[in-house]
Amino acid sequence: NAGVMQNPRHLVRRRGQEARLRCSPMKGHSHVYWYRQLPEEGLKFMVYLQKENIIDESGMPKERFSAEFPKEGPSILRIQQVVRGDSAAYFCASSQLTDRVNTEAFFGQGTRLTVV
Amino acid sequence: AQTVTQSQPEMSVQEAETVTLSCTYDTSESDYYLFWYKQPPSRQMILVIRQEAYKQQNATENRFSVNFQKAAKSFSLKISDSQLGDAAMYFCAYRASYNTDKLIFGTGTRLQVFP
């Protein structure tokens, strides 16, 4: 049972380009969470998705950022017109949420985005 | 809104010794979960230990244990018999008990282990 897979591991974009980050949840998991980690900081929640639905996007910047989790395929975090301040590590976590007591979110290894 | 505070940016410990990492949190909820995650240089987030707020007994996982003080909203991590492989960033995290696995993280503590 493969873990949460994120790709690419490293992504370099020039200012103004688009960045697409992918997350394949663990098998059987239908809940995906995206977090951003700025240098020397903790992870900050961005968005929570279930298949085809955005459940909680309270941590998403209002502009340039979007996320989706289609019925088929990975979850995508999309950043349009990237700026230097978007440089960070972006983590995806997935969970099953079938058992409230033992549920746990499993993390991918993150995508490090560098904007030059 | 819930918040998590880690007031120790860096800590150091000698191999085989014991170290305690501090964490405090703020919430108006009575039922929730608390976690400690380890992040080594590989960036992988590794769950170290979890605590359910309704349980009075402190969680323990081998060399790792917590001191959960619900009234004080304190959740410290004790690492016994420290090993070189324990060197990493450690993050305290809070999760509400309602229908989400969304985590709120502290800013982390960098632990150095000296031989």
Side-chain angles (χ1 to χ4, degrees):
Chain A
N1 188 8
V4 179
M5 304 300 292
Q6 288 189 250
N7 66 82
R9 289 292 312 275
H10 303 273
L11 181 62
V12 179
R13 284 289 177 266
R14 295 187 183 279
R15 279 179 294 171
Q17 290 185 319
E18 177 180 287
R20 279 179 166 252
L21 289 62
R22 295 176 194 78
C23 169
S24 296
M26 284 182 70
K27 187 176 181 180
H29 285 190
S30 58
H31 302 260
V32 165
Y33 304 79
W34 284 94
Y35 295 84
R36 176 165 64 176
Q37 184 178 30
L38 294 169
E40 305 302 319
E41 293 188 14
L43 280 70
K44 294 280 175 61
F45 168 78
M46 298 182 76
V47 62
Y48 162 34
L49 309 104
Q50 293 180 21
K51 285 281 187 181
E52 299 184 281
N53 286 305
I54 297 174
I55 307 301
D56 179 355
E57 55 181 348
S58 58
M60 285 281 269
K62 293 287 184 273
E63 297 177 348
R64 301 187 298 109
F65 285 72
S66 62
E68 63 176 9
F69 189 16
K71 189 176 180 182
E72 301 291 337
S75 175
I76 306 287
L77 179 67
R78 183 180 174 210
I79 311 172
Q80 295 178 290
Q81 299 173 339
V82 295
V83 301
R84 289 247 171 91
D86 297 333
S87 295
Y90 291 83
F91 287 89
C92 167
S94 74
S95 70
Q96 225 171 355
L97 265 186
T98 55
D99 179 339
R100 286 303 309 140
V101 175
N102 294 311
T103 184
E104 178 187 337
F106 293 84
F107 282 83
Q109 288 197 283
T111 294
R112 181 172 295 283
L113 171 66
T114 302
V115 180
V116 298
Chain B
Q2 296 92 356
T3 59
V4 177
T5 302
Q6 293 179 251
S7 58
Q8 305 157 316
E10 289 191 8
M11 291 285 284
S12 60
V13 64
Q14 199 137 23
E15 205 175 0
E17 297 295 307
T18 295
V19 64
T20 298
L21 308 184
S22 301
C23 173
T24 58
Y25 59 93
D26 190 26
T27 182
S28 58
E29 304 291 332
S30 58
D31 192 16
Y32 47 88
Y33 301 85
L34 296 164
F35 304 83
W36 278 98
Y37 280 87
K38 172 185 177 182
Q39 187 181 42
S42 67
R43 287 207 316 261
Q44 181 70 53
M45 294 293 286
I46 302 165
L47 179 62
V48 174
I49 200 165
R50 60 183 283 161
Q51 174 80 42
E52 290 88 350
Y54 63 86
K55 288 187 178 178
Q56 292 188 337
Q57 187 173 8
N58 289 324
T60 299
E61 287 288 341
N62 300 314
R63 297 183 295 107
F64 299 87
S65 61
V66 298
N67 183 5
F68 173 49
Q69 302 288 328
K70 191 172 183 180
K73 295 180 182 172
S74 169
F75 182 61
S76 59
L77 174 69
K78 185 170 86 171
I79 306 174
S80 304
D81 186 25
S82 298
Q83 300 175 0
L84 294 177
D86 294 334
M89 284 292 290
Y90 285 82
F91 292 98
C92 179
Y94 167 99
R95 192 190 88 204
S97 66
Y98 50 88
N99 199 28
T100 177
D101 280 317
K102 167 185 170 181
L103 294 167
I104 298 169
F105 286 89
T107 50
T109 296
R110 183 177 302 280
L111 178 66
Q112 293 182 308
V113 182
F114 294 103

